[in-house]
Amino acid sequence: MRFNDKPVYICCGHTDMRKSINGLMALVKDDFSLDPFSEALFVFCNRHRNRIKILEWDGDGFWLYFKRLERGHFRWPAKGDSATMVLETKELSYLIEGAKLEKKLKREEVFERQIS
């Protein structure tokens, strides 16, 4: 997935994925005190960390990207002192592709070794 160089705002913790464009816009405006019409990407994840939504304003309308993992989960920041985290678009790509990489890196553990 390729996005132009825009600021990326990650919503820490989980978000109700039943929210559509208007609901996510309200979160951006009210909870994060940010402008949903700015040139930025706003990224949300569900409780099980297997679905994300990305909200983007392109100048004449909103895009809502949605990804659901069939296996695995996204590494996602917990809600802490801050409700949002700012990333670069390259870091967003790493976050999205991280589930694939984690799956590739898993290896079966060897319990017995023999010397022939």
Side-chain angles (χ1 to χ4, degrees):
M1 179 176 286
R2 295 190 58 92
F3 293 107
N4 295 334
D5 249 355
K6 295 181 176 185
V8 177
Y9 296 95
I10 300 286
C11 176
C12 298
H14 65 272
T15 302
D16 182 352
M17 285 291 118
R18 295 174 290 181
K19 292 187 183 300
S20 62
I21 291 172
N22 292 341
L24 296 174
M25 283 175 57
L27 274 177
V28 170
K29 185 179 176 201
D30 300 334
D31 291 357
F32 310 143
S33 301
L34 296 170
D35 180 11
F37 294 95
S38 64
E39 284 201 28
L41 301 171
F42 303 97
V43 189
F44 307 88
C45 189
N46 69 335
R47 181 184 306 272
H48 298 291
R49 297 180 299 144
N50 64 346
R51 296 174 186 191
I52 62 169
K53 285 187 177 181
I54 302 173
L55 183 67
E56 177 186 26
W57 172 254
D58 74 354
D60 64 359
F62 280 97
W63 282 96
L64 184 61
Y65 306 95
F66 179 79
K67 179 157 183 159
R68 179 187 74 190
L69 295 177
E70 294 300 320
R71 292 191 188 137
H73 62 273
F74 297 104
R75 292 190 178 267
W76 205 257
K79 198 169 207 168
D81 295 336
S82 178
T84 60
M85 178 183 284
V86 181
L87 300 179
E88 296 176 10
T89 51
K90 181 171 55 172
E91 293 171 315
L92 174 61
S93 294
Y94 296 153
L95 184 68
I96 292 171
E97 297 298 321
K100 287 182 188 176
L101 181 61
E102 190 173 298
K103 195 170 149 183
K104 286 181 183 177
L105 292 176
K106 283 188 178 177
R107 298 183 183 143
E108 290 186 25
E109 193 173 332
V110 177
F111 293 106
E112 294 182 34
R113 296 182 186 202
Q114 294 181 350
I115 300 174
S116 27

